């Protein structure tokens, strides 16, 4: 079955427009996502190292809309890293006497 050229060109154009829309949306949402990963890292760090709860129960502390944020734990460093792949990542580390402290943006 031979595909007609206009259909192929039209399909490619539609895909490129959709890809551009997704990129623009992600860039506009980036500040909100960065805020969300910082909040998530801090909340889960507090849940784990101050509250003494396990990671699974800490997910109950998520606010609506945080479902896309994933968490990773470094138990040895007492650090929680929250991230949305390709868009934002932020870590919070438990420090005795200070509680859970967000690490500076950009890892500085």
């Amino acid at each position: 079955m031979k595909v007609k050229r206009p259909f192929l060109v039209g399909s490619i154009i539609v895909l490129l427009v959709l890809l551009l829309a997704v990129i623009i949306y992600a860039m506009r949402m980036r500040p909100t996502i960065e805020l969300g990963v910082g909040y998530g890292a801090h909340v889960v760090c507090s849940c784990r190292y101050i509250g003494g709860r396990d990671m699974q129960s800490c997910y109950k502390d998520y606010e609506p809309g945080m479902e896309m944020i994933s968490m990773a734990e470094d138990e040895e460093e007492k650090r929680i890293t929250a991230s949305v792949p390709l868009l934002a990542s932020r870590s919070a580390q438990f420090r005795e006497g200070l509680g859970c402290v967000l690490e500076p943006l950009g890892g500085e």
Side-chain angles (χ1 to χ4, degrees):
M1 177 179 197
K2 186 175 180 184
V3 177
K4 296 186 178 186
R5 183 174 219 123
F7 177 76
L8 181 62
V9 171
S11 297
I12 291 171
I13 289 171
V14 167
L15 288 174
L16 289 174
V17 168
L18 286 173
L19 179 63
L20 181 62
V22 167
I23 290 171
I24 290 171
Y25 178 76
M27 295 308 288
R28 291 186 64 132
M29 290 299 297
R30 189 174 186 140
T32 303
I33 292 169
E34 287 175 347
L35 179 66
V37 294
Y39 174 78
H42 187 267
V43 166
V44 174
C45 177
S46 297
C47 170
R48 284 287 293 132
Y49 301 113
I50 296 172
R53 294 168 40 204
D54 62 48
M55 280 292 283
Q56 202 60 35
S57 75
C58 292
Y59 287 112
K60 295 175 187 172
D61 295 345
Y62 269 29
E63 294 291 328
M66 291 180 62
E67 295 81 12
M68 72 168 121
I69 299 173
S70 62
M71 299 289 168
E73 179 179 26
D74 180 347
E75 287 186 63
E76 187 175 306
E77 295 289 324
K78 294 186 176 181
R79 177 182 293 124
I80 300 291
T81 301
S83 65
V84 174
L86 303 175
L87 293 177
S89 178
R90 193 88 189 262
S91 296
Q93 184 175 27
F94 176 76
R95 297 186 185 152
E96 198 63 47
L98 296 175
C100 287
V101 178
L102 282 173
E103 294 180 351
L105 285 172
E108 297 173 3

